[in-house]
Amino acid sequence: MPLTILVLENPWSANAFDALPVLPFVEGLAKYSPDLVRVLAKPFYHAQELGHWLADFRRPKRGIGQRIVYIASHGTRGRIGGLPDGTGAINFNTFHSLLRSAGHIDGVHLGCCDFGNMKNAERLLRPDRRRARHVPCRWVAGYDKNIDWFQATLVDLVFWRELLRNTDHNPWKACRKTYKEYPRSRQLGFRVFRNGPGGRLEDTST
C-alpha cells in the first residue's frame, strides 16, 4: 500500500529572493520510489487555510494508502507558522483543534523547531473523551529543539526513505533506522511518538 504525503509549507523568509522550500527535496524522494509514495503540496499562511487542507486531505479517496501530513514551517514550543512579518502564528490549541476536526490522519510529521516536543505529542495522541478511542493521528514525529533547516531536512528525508523501505511502513522502525543511518538525528532531538500499552506515551528516544 502506498503512502501519500501532504506537504503543508509556510514561508521561511520575508525576502522574496530567499527561497528555501522543502518541496523539491520531497519530490526527489517521490522520484526515488514512485510506486510507494505520492506527494501533494499546498502553502498555508493562516489557520483557516491549514484547517481546509487537513480536512480535504481526509476525504475518502481510493489508492491513497497511509496519509501523512508534513508541516514545514518555523516553530516554537507552542506555535507554528505565521506571516513573514511575524504575525499570525498558529498556537497549539488551534492546531490541535484543526487536526481533531479533520479526523483520522495516520501520521503527523512536524518539520518545525521545538513544536514536536513530548507535551504537544501527548495531547495530539490523546483519545477524544466524547468519541471512545478516537485520536487525531496514530503517530507524531518531530523535533524538541531549535534545529538547523538543512540538517533537519536531511533527517526528514532519511526517515521517509526508511519508512518506505519497510513493507509495513512502520514509523517506529523507520526512526530507529534513521538513528543508525544518521546519528546526528538523535542529537537534533528528532523523535517519533505513539500510544503504547494502556495509552502510555512512548517515544523512540528511550
Side-chain angles (χ1 to χ4, degrees), residues 105-177:
I105 299 292
D106 291 291
V108 174
H109 189 148
L110 301 168
C112 326
C113 289
D114 296 317
F115 199 70
N117 58 73
M118 180 178 290
K119 180 180 177 181
N120 290 347
E122 184 177 21
R123 289 187 61 190
L124 291 174
L125 292 167
R126 186 181 300 163
D128 189 332
R129 293 179 181 177
R130 291 176 297 179
R131 289 180 286 177
R133 303 184 65 84
H134 174 81
V135 291
C137 55
R138 294 171 52 205
W139 57 267
V140 174
Y143 301 85
D144 64 357
K145 296 181 180 179
N146 194 353
I147 49 176
D148 174 77
W149 182 91
F150 185 74
Q151 289 188 338
T153 301
L154 287 178
V155 173
D156 295 343
L157 291 172
V158 173
F159 171 71
W160 288 330
R161 184 188 65 178
E162 296 302 333
L163 193 64
L164 294 172
R165 280 181 169 177
N166 66 71
T167 55
D168 56 352
H169 304 313
N170 185 311
W172 196 266
K173 294 178 183 177
C175 187
R176 293 291 192 188
K177 285 278 190 178

Side-chain angles (χ1 to χ4, degrees), residues 7-192:
V7 180
L8 297 175
E9 189 163 17
N10 187 253
W12 296 98
S13 171
N15 186 343
F17 298 94
D18 184 11
L20 287 173
V22 300
L23 181 59
F25 295 92
V26 187
E27 289 177 332
L29 178 79
K31 292 178 181 178
Y32 176 80
S33 305
D35 298 329
L36 297 177
V37 64
R38 180 184 181 190
V39 174
L40 310 172
K42 296 293 180 183
F44 75 94
Y45 300 89
H46 303 279
Q48 293 88 340
E49 291 170 310
L50 182 62
H52 171 79
W53 298 129
L54 288 172
D56 196 61
F57 186 47
R58 190 59 190 92
R59 284 191 299 117
K61 193 173 180 65
R62 297 179 64 181
I64 289 292
Q66 288 192 37
R67 289 172 165 86
I68 299 173
V69 172
Y70 177 60
I71 305 292
S73 76
H74 289 297
T76 65
R77 297 195 72 79
R79 295 177 182 272
I80 57 169
L83 299 174
D85 64 1
T87 63
I90 300 166
N91 65 41
F92 176 82
N93 288 337
T94 299
F95 177 72
H96 186 210
S97 178
L98 294 173
L99 193 61
R100 285 177 58 183
S101 296
H104 295 283
I105 299 292
D106 291 291
V108 174
H109 189 148
L110 301 168
C112 326
C113 289
D114 296 317
F115 199 70
N117 58 73
M118 180 178 290
K119 180 180 177 181
N120 290 347
E122 184 177 21
R123 289 187 61 190
L124 291 174
L125 292 167
R126 186 181 300 163
D128 189 332
R129 293 179 181 177
R130 291 176 297 179
R131 289 180 286 177
R133 303 184 65 84
H134 174 81
V135 291
C137 55
R138 294 171 52 205
W139 57 267
V140 174
Y143 301 85
D144 64 357
K145 296 181 180 179
N146 194 353
I147 49 176
D148 174 77
W149 182 91
F150 185 74
Q151 289 188 338
T153 301
L154 287 178
V155 173
D156 295 343
L157 291 172
V158 173
F159 171 71
W160 288 330
R161 184 188 65 178
E162 296 302 333
L163 193 64
L164 294 172
R165 280 181 169 177
N166 66 71
T167 55
D168 56 352
H169 304 313
N170 185 311
W172 196 266
K173 294 178 183 177
C175 187
R176 293 291 192 188
K177 285 278 190 178
T178 301
Y179 289 162
K180 292 180 180 180
E181 290 286 330
Y182 189 42
R184 179 73 173 146
S185 60
R186 188 189 287 267
Q187 299 170 17
L188 290 170
F190 180 71
R191 294 191 281 180
V192 167

